[in-house]
Amino acid sequence: MGFKTYAPYSAPNKAERQESTDLKSTSRSLGFRLTGYKHVKEETGEVELVGKDITFAISEREVLVSHFKKYFSVSDKIRWDVVNEAISETEKLVQWYTCENTKFEMYSASLLFMWDAENPEPHARVRLIDMAHVIPITEGRDDNVIGGMKNLVEMLKEIAKLGMDSRVSVS
């Protein structure tokens, strides 16, 4: 999460590498990037792993949207109920981080999205994880991460709006 994913105290070579990754991905433009996901093909039960080798090269929003649609799908049908549950869960994190967090900022933390494709009930979970680079602040708030979270919510809402058109598929 964040438009900038390296801490101010990072070694110059680390900052350079992260800056390069941020520019090649959607981190710089959207404040977040997709690092990977699992997708279960219901008809075969085969688990498809989409990793950093593919996701770190995503630099266009439309391509990112297509990957999120795939993540939230079963048998090429998007689970709109799960998308809406993920929006709600992510909005709770944005609310907490915006209102309750006034003491620190984070660099390169992650949001973990989880849901069970076999469960007919929508039961999405979103957790803030990988908080290795946390810096105390004395004033203001962490707009680096907050901006990324808000952009993610907006993108998920755009995907959810597509659910009104039953002809929309994963591709």
Side-chain angles (χ1 to χ4, degrees), residues 50-64:
V50 180
K52 292 178 183 180
D53 57 321
I54 294 171
T55 59
F56 272 29
I58 299 172
S59 61
E60 296 175 13
R61 191 173 197 282
E62 296 77 26
V63 176
L64 185 64

Side-chain angles (χ1 to χ4, degrees), residues 1-10 31 93-94 96-98 101-111 127-137 141-149:
M1 295 302 308
F3 297 93
K4 178 181 171 186
T5 61
Y6 57 92
Y9 57 78
S10 296
L93 281 173
V94 171
W96 170 80
Y97 203 75
T98 302
N101 171 39
T102 57
K103 297 184 177 168
F104 60 89
E105 60 187 5
M106 292 186 286
Y107 293 89
S108 201
S110 300
L111 291 183
R127 298 291 185 258
L128 183 61
I129 63 169
D130 299 335
M131 298 168 281
H133 305 287
V134 178
I135 299 172
I137 55 176
R141 61 182 195 176
D142 187 358
D143 289 322
N144 183 50
V145 170
I146 292 168
M149 284 187 193

Side-chain angles (χ1 to χ4, degrees), residues 12-41:
N13 62 338
K14 165 84 173 183
E16 230 175 79
R17 280 193 321 273
Q18 285 301 117
E19 180 74 17
S20 175
T21 300
D22 292 350
L23 289 169
K24 291 176 188 171
S25 69
T26 56
S27 289
R28 182 65 58 183
S29 60
L30 298 176
F32 69 94
R33 68 175 168 248
L34 183 62
T35 58
Y37 61 96
K38 289 182 186 179
H39 178 255
V40 179
K41 297 178 182 178

